[in-house]
Structure formats: structure tokens, C-alpha cells
Amino acid sequence: MPKARPDEDKIYAKPRAQVENFAFDSQVADVFDDMIRRSVPGYAMTLSLLGIIAQRYAQPQTRIYDLGCSLGAGIVAMAPAVVSNVHFVGIDNSQAMLDRCQQNVARLQPTRQAELHCQDIQETPIENASIVVLNFTLQFIPKERREALLARIRQGLTPGGILVLSEKIQFEDDRIQNNMTDLHHDFKRANGYSDLEIGQKRAALEKVLVPETLATHQTRLQRSGFSRSETWLQCFNFASLLAFK
Ligand code: GEK
């Protein structure tokens, strides 16, 4: 078997007697870029289009928050696209992720540096934000706490501000749910994951990542005070919405 690259995700390659709940520890942080690119259909496109979105909606002298920023891919994608007097704030509650994020952000131009905090995004004060990004993060927040977080985000947005909300999604129709899950697993297989890896990762995420339907997200966004929202990207069971203050 060819040797794995040091940044290649092989975490679930060997059979485990018991699969523990997934955690964003240093083992995951080391291979996270490879893991998310090979696991989330449309991830690379979400990031590149995030730059286009940021270019339009970033307002001078405001903040852009990336909540659950992991290695900083969202910040790195947006930074070159926006005016220089925008202040980036990256939040993650995994120090292992933030340490690596710090290194990635340090490579940006001096005027595009970000303030990073190891914090639960449910505690982050959101102020003077023209853009808030939740790129595959809300799915890790307990369902009953999602609305309070969205309402606080909406409150912290400036007039004309936006939320980018990307999530793994669920489908009401069981057959569609199964079709999309099959396609997602085909995508992972095509990216080199074995059935063992797919099965063990799925078990690890089962209680940690809780997806909902697009309709649930849209209704909650409305209840949280957003005036309108629309899906701007969907790849199988992953979608991204744009919500307007
Ligand atoms: C990207 N946005 O590359 N508070 C803070 N951070 C959290 C919390 C919380 N309560 N819960 C989870 N996280 C990134 C990808 S990954 C998505 C985001 C995925 C963090 C967690 O530590 C991890 O770094 C991130 O949210 C989710 O565009 O792995 O599917």
C-alpha cells in the first residue's frame, strides 16, 4: 500500500473496536484540510464563491466573523477580496485548529490580519458585522440553541449585512435522503475513502453533527429576524444559504 502523505486523512482507516464521538483534536486538525475537501462535496467551490460574496457585501470599517473558522480557510478566501479596512474575527473552540489557523492567517498581507479567539461561538459578542460566516458549523450546535445564536448574529449585523450559512442537510422524503446519502458516499469513495473509513466516520459523527432540512433552516432564519434567505449552492446533501438582515 502506498504510504500516506503526512497531511492525508487516514484517521478511520483501521478497524476500531469502539468508535468514539468525533472531536476536533490535534489529530483531526493535522489532516483537516484534506478531510473536509475529500468529504464535503462543493467545499472548494463554497470557499471560492465566498470571496465573490465577501467582495460585494463587506462594508468598510466593519467586521467579518468566521464562526467555527477551523484552519482559517474562509478568512483566507475572503481576505484578498475585500477592502482593507475590514476587520476579520475568527472563532473556534478547538485550540488545535486555531494554532494552525494562526499560521495560515499570518501568511496574509499585514493589512488583512485576523483576530482569533478560542471560544464557544455561542459566547462570541457579534458587533458591527457586515458579514458573518457559519461554514459547516451550526450543525455542531445543539438544535435547541441554534435560534438564539442566529438571533444574536442578526442583531450584530449592520444594515445591509449578511449571514452565509453552509450546512449538511437532511431531506423529508426518505428515498431522496437515501439517494443523497448514497451519492455523498460515492463522492467519498471517489476521493479514496474505503467503506470502513466511511462507516466509522459516520458512526463518530452521528451524535455530534445533527443536520436539518432546508425548510427548517429557512423557517428558523425567519424566526431569528432575517428578512429573507435563499439557497445559493447545493451539492448533494450539502447546501449554503445567504440570509439578509
Ligand atoms: C471551513 N468553517 O473550513 N464553538 C466554536 N467552534 C466550534 C463549536 C462551538 N460551539 N462547535 C464546533 N466548532 C470551516 C469548517 S468545521 C466543519 C468548519 C466540519 C468548530 C470545530 O472546532 C471545527 O473547527 C468547526 O467548528 C467545524 O470553512 O468539520 O464539518
Side-chain angles (χ1 to χ4, degrees):
M1 219 170 43
K3 217 168 158 249
R5 287 176 282 109
D7 59 351
E8 189 178 350
D9 172 23
K10 284 277 165 203
I11 292 177
Y12 293 102
K14 293 201 179 121
R16 296 185 178 199
Q18 202 188 333
V19 180
E20 305 290 338
N21 279 349
F22 189 82
F24 293 98
D25 54 18
S26 62
Q27 193 194 10
V28 168
D30 280 342
V31 297
F32 186 72
D33 186 58
D34 179 67
M35 173 187 279
I36 194 161
R37 283 177 194 279
R38 287 163 65 213
S39 304
V40 175
Y43 174 73
M45 184 176 277
T46 311
L47 286 179
S48 70
L49 296 179
L50 199 51
I52 307 274
I53 293 171
Q55 187 171 29
R56 172 160 295 270
Y57 291 101
Q59 298 168 24
Q61 311 208 323
T62 62
R63 296 186 178 148
I64 297 184
Y65 289 82
D66 190 355
L67 302 179
C69 59
S70 300
L71 305 182
I75 295 169
V76 170
M78 289 185 282
V82 302
V83 283
S84 62
N85 56 357
V86 168
H87 186 69
F88 281 95
V89 183
I91 308 288
D92 206 288
N93 63 356
S94 158
Q95 189 60 51
M97 287 288 194
L98 273 192
D99 290 344
R100 290 151 186 83
C101 180
Q102 184 72 61
Q103 292 166 12
N104 293 335
V105 166
R107 289 190 207 107
L108 294 169
Q109 285 176 12
T111 52
R112 306 290 159 97
Q113 290 303 304
E115 172 190 332
L116 302 177
H117 297 288
C118 189
Q119 189 177 54
D120 188 323
I121 57 171
Q122 296 171 95
E123 324 249 280
T124 307
I126 311 287
E127 286 156 4
N128 188 32
S130 54
I131 302 177
V132 176
V133 175
L134 278 169
N135 211 27
F136 307 107
T137 311
L138 190 68
Q139 58 199 15
F140 295 105
I141 302 295
K143 269 190 193 176
E144 65 282 4
R145 305 214 199 120
R146 293 179 185 179
E147 187 169 331
L149 172 60
L150 293 180
R152 274 198 319 104
I153 290 173
R154 189 246 161 222
Q155 272 220 310
L157 285 171
T158 54
I162 58 148
L163 165 69
V164 179
L165 173 64
S166 311
E167 289 276 290
K168 184 175 190 184
I169 54 166
Q170 190 86 18
F171 299 87
E172 258 151 47
D173 182 320
D174 287 346
R175 286 163 307 174
I176 301 283
Q177 176 62 37
N178 293 337
N179 297 144
M180 292 299 175
T181 304
D182 287 345
L183 287 165
H184 178 215
H185 292 170
D186 290 345
F187 172 85
K188 293 185 83 162
R189 264 181 227 108
N191 284 326
Y193 283 117
S194 67
D195 288 345
L196 177 69
E197 285 173 297
I198 294 170
Q200 296 195 130
K201 173 88 178 291
R202 192 181 189 187
L205 280 173
E206 195 155 19
K207 294 201 182 78
V208 180
L209 189 170
V210 183
E212 297 175 294
T213 64
L214 275 176
T216 301
H217 283 297
Q218 263 150 355
T219 309
R220 183 187 292 119
L221 284 166
Q222 214 173 25
R223 275 204 314 267
S224 310
F226 286 90
S227 65
R228 56 203 189 282
S229 66
E230 187 55 69
T231 307
W232 63 274
L233 186 73
Q234 184 179 337
C235 297
F236 304 142
N237 47 350
F238 291 82
S240 190
L241 295 106
L242 204 49
F244 299 84
K245 178 154 180 150

